[in-house]
């Protein structure tokens, strides 16, 4: 599916991204990723609550075109290492997305917990699915983006900065992806007020 760029963003994209400072680029970033860190754009991740080191690595991969997205490759083009650190630090300070949608049904909750255990998601992403260091936050992430990412890792269309996710995703059954994505999107850690 082709992603349509909102008309409001076109003027910002006409100016070569490499001619803009980090401060000038961030509003364009947040137009897609959400000005509060919560994305309302289909298949576009929420950045709120993501670890700064994870964001730094992703920006580096986009800058070096080791991760492919025309928009993101253009946005990261020309950024220095210091620019990447500044951007990732600013984005990491955005508030994590709240749990969205209806609470998971008992069936989705039970299946989701079983799948997280089966595929050992918590061994890297933490028991609260909040991520750490260079490991992304999954809790509260957009459901469509989670499903898309798992499918891309499984097909090797998306390469990580190291092969762990591609290897793990090979085990994930296609039929499990919607349940995993829904569960993670609606996941609440016990300190968020409800039992997950």
């Amino acid at each position: 599916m082709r992603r349509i760029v909102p008309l409001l963003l076109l003027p910002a994209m006409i100016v070569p991204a490499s001619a803009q400072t980090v401060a000038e680029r961030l509003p364009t970033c947040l137009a897609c990723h959400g000005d509060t860190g919560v994305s309302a754009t289909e298949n576009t991740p929420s950045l709120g609550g993501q670890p700064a080191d994870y964001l730094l690595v992703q920006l580096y991969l986009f800058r070096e075109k080791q991760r492919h997205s025309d928009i993101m490759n253009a946005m990261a083009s020309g950024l220095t290492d210091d620019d990447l650190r500044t951007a990732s630090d600013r984005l990491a300070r955005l508030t994590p997305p709240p749990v969205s949608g209806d609470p998971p049904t008992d069936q989705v909750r039970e299946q989701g917990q079983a799948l997280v255990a089966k595929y050992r998601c918590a061994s890297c992403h933490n028991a609260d699915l909040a991520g750490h260091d260079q490991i992304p936050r999954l809790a509260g992430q957009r459901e469509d983006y989670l499903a898309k990412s798992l499918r891309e890792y499984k097909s090797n269309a998306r390469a990580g900065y190291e092969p762990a996710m591609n290897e793990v995703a090979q085990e994930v059954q296609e039929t499990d992806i919607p349940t995993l994505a829904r569960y993670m999107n609606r996941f609440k850690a016990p300190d968020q007020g409800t039992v997950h």
Side-chain angles (χ1 to χ4, degrees):
M1 175 187 288
R2 240 183 110 147
R3 195 158 158 262
I4 297 174
V5 178
L7 292 177
L8 295 173
L9 298 182
L10 290 178
M13 296 179 84
I14 293 170
V15 177
S18 58
Q20 295 178 314
T21 66
V22 170
E24 291 168 330
R25 291 185 205 199
L26 281 177
T28 304
C29 298
L30 297 177
C32 290
H33 292 281
D35 59 1
T36 62
V38 180
S39 171
T41 307
E42 184 179 3
N43 289 318
T44 301
S46 295
L47 301 180
Q50 290 294 347
D53 287 344
Y54 169 73
L55 294 170
L56 175 66
V57 169
Q58 298 310 303
L59 287 170
Y60 172 83
L61 293 175
F62 283 125
R63 184 187 72 184
E64 301 301 314
K65 297 185 179 173
Q66 294 177 19
R67 186 170 170 198
H68 303 286
S69 161
D70 291 340
I71 292 172
M72 287 304 303
N73 295 141
M75 289 303 295
S77 176
L79 291 175
T80 66
D81 290 348
D82 286 341
D83 291 336
L84 296 181
R85 173 59 73 188
T86 298
S88 61
D89 287 345
R90 287 186 187 174
L91 293 169
R93 288 195 293 265
L94 296 171
T95 304
V99 174
S100 62
D102 297 329
T105 63
D106 290 343
Q107 181 181 14
V108 168
R109 185 180 303 108
E110 289 169 12
Q111 289 176 344
Q113 288 171 343
L115 291 173
V116 164
K118 176 181 178 180
Y119 297 124
R120 304 171 308 282
C121 304
S123 65
C124 291
H125 295 275
N126 292 343
D128 62 0
L129 301 179
H132 62 92
D133 303 315
Q134 296 175 359
I135 309 294
R137 177 185 188 85
L138 302 177
Q141 185 56 268
R142 286 185 59 92
E143 185 175 338
D144 59 351
Y145 180 75
L146 289 166
K148 175 181 177 284
S149 296
L150 274 170
R151 289 185 178 110
E152 288 175 346
Y153 281 124
K154 186 172 179 63
S155 70
N156 288 313
R158 177 175 173 181
Y161 54 93
E162 55 114 274
M165 267 309 298
N166 298 88
E167 292 170 8
V168 169
Q170 300 312 304
E171 302 173 23
V172 178
Q173 299 299 309
E174 174 60 34
T175 53
D176 291 339
I177 290 175
T179 302
L180 265 172
R182 176 156 292 210
Y183 175 72
M184 290 174 179
N185 168 258
R186 289 163 172 78
F187 182 89
K188 280 190 177 185
D191 66 344
Q192 290 177 296
T194 65
V195 177
H196 56 281

